[in-house]
Amino acid sequence: PDDDSSFDKNYFIKLKDLILKDQITCYITDLYCSDKEGLFREVNLPNYTKLTKSNFNIVGAVNILVSFNVFQEIGFYDERFGVNALYGAGEDGDYYLRGLQYSEFLYTKDIFSFHPSGHDKLKELSYKNKRKKLNNYGKGVMALLNKHKMYKESLIMVFRAIGGVVFSFSKFQFT
């Protein structure tokens, strides 16, 4: 969780039950928007799916649960990643990918938290600031994928970005 996350009243009870129920101690949870209805990010996986490197894109700092033992193995976030760092994003995905070296991660719908949607914040930014934010995000994702030698995923991201630009220009949508 981070500074603007929130939880339903049963979150910590469910968390305790989850920890006591399973030997797996690391989870990726659902995340709902706190400022509007619906999921922050749609995850179409069955409950208790064992996650792999390719699931890096469903991980956020606000929906990752790591046991203390795994935390001790992983250590802290890589300070080159994240807001105001060399690479403006990717700290959560990097943490997850490093964590996979020490533990399995399961996706669970049994526990969830809330986080404000970034969509409205992005709309409020000037074109220049929006471009800077998205550029930093892109640098972070590409650095993350290359750090973990996920070159195929990196190439896919490049083509998705090019496709997004072409689509926006064809619709004359620049915001």
Side-chain angles (χ1 to χ4, degrees), residues 6-160:
S6 58
F7 310 95
D8 75 333
K9 63 183 178 180
N10 296 317
Y11 180 87
F12 292 101
I13 294 167
K14 290 178 184 177
L15 176 58
K16 178 184 168 193
D17 293 343
L18 195 62
I19 291 168
L20 294 175
K21 177 179 143 186
D22 291 318
Q23 295 299 315
I24 305 297
T25 56
C26 297
Y27 296 92
I28 302 301
T29 68
D30 271 336
L31 182 62
Y32 287 86
C33 296
S34 57
D35 51 353
K36 57 181 157 185
E37 290 199 21
L39 286 166
F40 188 87
R41 180 182 298 121
E42 187 76 35
V43 178
N44 294 311
L45 296 172
N47 206 17
Y48 294 107
T49 297
K50 181 180 172 185
L51 301 175
T52 65
K53 282 177 79 168
S54 66
N55 298 115
F56 77 93
N57 59 341
I58 67 167
V59 178
V62 296
N63 72 330
I64 186 171
L65 299 172
V66 178
S67 74
F68 184 69
N69 292 339
V70 173
F71 166 74
Q72 287 179 308
E73 293 291 339
I74 302 171
F76 296 107
Y77 282 102
D78 183 334
E79 293 183 6
R80 296 175 298 167
F81 293 92
V83 177
N84 295 322
L86 177 62
Y87 307 112
E91 70 280 6
D92 36 22
D94 176 61
Y95 204 78
Y96 164 74
L97 291 169
R98 288 171 32 218
L100 280 174
Q101 298 172 29
Y102 303 101
S103 177
E104 291 181 342
F105 278 75
L106 295 181
Y107 165 70
T108 182
K109 299 175 185 213
D110 293 345
I111 188 170
F112 56 88
S113 58
F114 300 92
H115 191 271
S117 168
H119 191 264
D120 292 333
K121 288 181 184 178
L122 197 59
K123 281 184 172 180
E124 294 172 4
L125 293 177
S126 68
Y127 175 77
K128 181 180 178 181
N129 287 336
K130 189 182 302 184
R131 188 172 148 218
K132 181 180 178 183
K133 183 177 184 85
L134 294 174
N135 183 51
N136 285 337
Y137 179 77
K139 284 189 334 188
V141 170
M142 296 307 286
L144 160 74
L145 295 173
N146 287 309
K147 175 183 176 179
H148 293 279
K149 298 179 177 26
M150 297 173 69
Y151 304 121
K152 177 183 170 190
E153 290 83 354
S154 184
L155 190 59
I156 290 168
M157 287 292 180
V158 168
F159 284 112
R160 286 178 63 188

